[in-house]
Amino acid sequence: MNPNPNIDFSHLCFLLFLQKSTKFFERQLSMDARRMSRAVPRVRQVGFFTPNTPAQQPQPQSAAPSSESPPLSDSPASNSLSPVMIPPPRHLSDNLGGRTAAVPVPGREISGELPTVGSYNPSESVLWLDSPPRSRIGDEELSEGAESSLGWYRRSDSAKFASSLPSGGFNLSTAKHPESVAAVEAKNPLPEQSEVQKEQASSSKPLKAKTTKAERRALQESQRAAKAASRAEANKSGTPGGAPSSKPMKQPPQKKDGPPVASSIAASERIGVDRSVEKERKKDLPPPRKQFDDESRGGRAKRRSVLNQPEARNRVELFRHLPPHKNGTQLPSLESKFFELHEKHPAVYKVGLQYLAGDLSGGNARCIAMLQAFQEAIRDYSTPPEKTLTRDLTSKIGGFVSFLIECRPLSMSMGNAIRFLKSRIARLPLTLSESEAKTTLCSDIDRFINEKIVLADKVILRHAATKIRDGDVLLTYGSSCVVEMILLYAHELGKQFRVVVVDSHPMLEGQKLLRRLVVKGLSCTYTQLNAISYVMHKVTRVFLGASSIFSNGTVYSTVGTASVAMVAHAFRVPVLVCCEAYKFHERVQLDSICFNELGDPDAISKVPGRVDVNYLDNLTDKQKENLELLNLKYDATPSDYISVIVTDYGMIPPTSVPVIVREYRKEYLLI
Amino acid sequence: MDFQVVVLAGGNSKNLTPLVSKELPKPLLPVANCPVLYYVLHQLEQSNLKDLIVVVEGEDAALLVGAWISGTFIDRLHVEIAAVPEDIGTAGALRAISHHLTAKDILVVSGDLVSDVPPGALAATHRRHDAAVTTMLCSIPVSGPSESGSSGGKDKAKKLGRYNIIGLDPSKQFLLHIATEIEKDARISKRILHAVGQMEMRSDLMDAHMYAFKRSVLQEVLDVKDTFQSLKEDVLPYLVRSQLKSEALLNRTPQGEENGNEKVSSQNNQAFISRILANASTPSFHGIYSKNPDGSSSTRKTHKCCVYIASSSSYCVRLNSIQAFMDINRDVTGDADHLLSPNNIIGPSPKLGTKTTVGPNCRLGEGSEMGDKCQVKRSIIGRHCRIGSHVKVVNSVVMNHVTIGDGCIIQGSVICSNVQLQERVELKDCQVGAGFVVTAGSEYKAESLAKKEK
């Protein structure tokens, strides 16, 4: 993965934002991200789905002796390649930013193939006659609007992941079942775009040729051995030698099935499969996240919500889609409803209040507090008559979660923990009695806390401490509980080092950390973020905490972290991000605009304890209309600036995050 | 929400002597034709608190109160009436019903509180801080109607003594000092002052007698300190004083009941988790203090005393004096009329004579009759009163079944039930006890008239 295109893309994002297409693009991107994120498991499912389709098709058609290749015939070839072949170029064009740029690539392949097929085939005309209906089918399938192009991106990225994975099994399955669902899906957009692409071919070609060739060729090479025969069929120019292997032998008959009727049947079947897959995929996806500037969607949620939303006035245009900050103004109204919300368990309520009042912050602490509250709620839970524990408890937990979200948006880590808990509930054996089920769940929660947080932290300590040498000057930003523990642990080991604590308004969390460190006898330097470039040249290591790490290696952390990491990068200081693996998230995020959290805008306009700094105080209401305050809570640090991520699975480069996410998710379902 | 509500309704009150009697205990004293207890119960009901314990002093009063509650809130509230002996004080009353208390936290409300502050707010604050006690403070109401001139001379003098001296921490969340009376010198714990660093002394706040207690703490205090009489004067100051050296009050057993083999590791993990939680939460001075001074592991026991300060826009007054009674009557019909639920506002329209005027901010109970050319201003007239002609009633409260003869002038007075005022009586700033008969033509000023108890 070369990172530069990523940056380009984020730049482009920004430009687009400035072009006031904010919301549309925003939503698209978020969907994109979700799809991408889902992509890894989907690709792996392919193997399971395929047997249906090909099993039906080849049997009746294999008898057809004709050597012509109908419209579909070329698709297996490209299909079989597509999951591996096509992605890299798309990935690239994707990075170049234009959807139009993404389109031509697959099309070009077809256009490259079609003529060769035609020249080879006796029935060239059939092919061209057939293509219009096919494109219609394609349109039909794509009638869900932007779905296709989005799906396109998704796939491209899935393949990007796939390519980075050990792809042996994957290759095998595609080789066995060339008509695999994924392949069909991948094909869909092609026809529609083939015309467009032809027009653009000339303009876009040079670009692609430059960027894609190397990668594509590498992949081609790797695939060539497995698919030599199919290739030989498809583009006659390929090597003729590989044909007689047993697996590829299956393909030719299939390809040579003559009747367009059969092909249309096959196509329709495919559509069916495709739709069901599509549906399933939709089911898989989490519901689209609420956009707070979206009136139509906001309405229902508003009616349901416990807290009333403050109006979106005086908020920065670019961030209007984020949920507004609720602290302070909302606390009294929530408090006064204390007894009315009796369906919320007191423990959950307490945690919610603490989130809202800002008494409790920090990813781990919030997650632990939430889990312990759930634990208490589960202990007090009794299944109402005529309901099953599994369903009722799940909905109950859901209610708690939505209450907590209203108090403060959840962090990724909490989302993961909730997903874990819900999966545990869903997997409870029906034979368990209620009390058994409850104790099982409680011990599961305990184990989650112990293994994923406590033990993980201890492992991280050990790993990170090996990177601290005598005489080091360590810099940290804000107050991360893992980093604090690392520093204390290293100090206990007797290592000689100094700590620079960098802090920023308005939270000034660093002071809390500083106090604890100084009390323990570490020698510290305290400075504000503004002075970061002046202290950095003395620093030998930067330790940072994280709220979450995304699949593309982006580190989502307290606002200011990105600046620290970038400055460190510029000074060639290694940046170590310490983060428990349960905070990893399969989402891909490129900027900190799509998903973020807004803090209390008043917190930045007022300086606590400084009465003389009151320049913003006595503005009239009219003047205040011109003032927009932005207090962002998080930012995203691109993976380029991260040297290593210290996690409970060891020290890994940011590129390995998706691997952990994949392996880890499997494991934590099994706990 | 694991809260139990105790309403301390009281019984006879010496402060309200002519108004309350054996037949009319304080909880049933009508405020705008509605017993004062109704306001508390209504507020609790609105907050979805339906299981209440109402503690009344005296068996007779308990019977009366019980009868009224079951008549009014039938099917709406589940109320247990507990009768306690008189003069055992608020703490004594709680001690008497202590074995009924089972929930984690206890909300104690005084029965004479007329307020629109939701009790949930107090409870939420209590829970959020995990406090031992949380008390509600409200700003001291403006006493005495300005237009009634000299009305409350002596009451005002009394009021001065009721000021609370309250010490708050800079974040206005914790109670550091509370003293009821102005004394020559206030004793403030040096330890607390040192731990907090800064204390704000306020005298413009009033203890509203709405408390949330942690049950374990409350019961232990009541058990150990069996001389404590009053919540406000004994228990609360004691808890506030001892918040940094709580004497095993909070023997909060750590939740992890370890089971043998994995004892050490689980303890270890518990400590780990609690450290994470403690580091992440904003530390109150309690936390900092308990960790001091040298970061040693031996933590000192503390408990938190929190306050909930009602916003200045909310209404919150206690009915504990005649002046307060007048004020509440005025406010409930005037500014704070949202306290009355609609069905209590207007009874069936009374019969009015010709040329009789009823001014704004008045309540007339059902079945009252008035003669010709009467004037009623800013007053409350109860049920089934018979008022003759040429009567002037200003700034007064007339309870039920009162007969007022022709040509009476009543200003700033309270006239209890079954009183008979004969012709041409003039009353100014008087309280007339139940069943009293004022002879014709008499004039009284700032006096309290009551039947001699036999």
Side-chain angles (χ1 to χ4, degrees), chain A residues 331-332 334-347 349-350 353-354 357-362 364-366 368-369 372 376 379 446 449-450 453-455 457-458 461 479 481 484-485 488 512 515-516 519-520, chain B residues 1-5 44 46-49 104 107 117-130 173 255 265-266 268-270 272-283 288-289 291-295 308:
Chain A
L331 194 57
L334 181 66
E335 282 185 334
S336 61
K337 285 181 194 154
F338 185 68
F339 290 112
E340 285 152 50
L341 302 163
H342 52 91
E343 76 273 19
K344 309 269 179 283
H345 190 274
Y349 200 92
K350 182 181 163 189
L353 277 178
Q354 285 177 334
D359 289 348
L360 199 62
S361 56
N364 281 340
R366 278 167 71 200
I368 291 175
Q372 285 178 340
E376 221 163 294
R379 270 193 210 114
D446 266 337
I449 294 177
N450 281 340
I453 303 176
V454 176
L455 287 180
D457 279 349
K458 286 180 179 165
L461 294 191
S479 168
C481 76
E484 180 190 345
M485 285 187 275
L488 293 179
K512 280 199 271 179
R515 184 195 162 88
R516 293 191 288 261
V519 164
K520 288 277 161 91
Chain B
M1 277 294 171
D2 210 10
F3 258 92
Q4 226 171 351
V5 184
L44 292 172
Q46 293 221 313
S47 302
N48 210 6
L49 290 166
K104 188 178 164 212
L107 189 70
V117 181
L122 176 75
T125 312
H126 183 70
R127 272 286 159 77
R128 182 154 65 86
H129 291 291
D130 196 23
Q173 287 180 323
Q255 297 299 310
S265 71
S266 81
N268 222 342
N269 286 347
Q270 289 290 345
F272 201 87
I273 290 169
S274 59
R275 202 173 81 203
I276 292 178
L277 286 176
N279 284 351
S281 52
T282 344
I288 295 172
Y289 178 79
K291 266 186 238 147
N292 263 357
D294 49 351
Y308 173 77

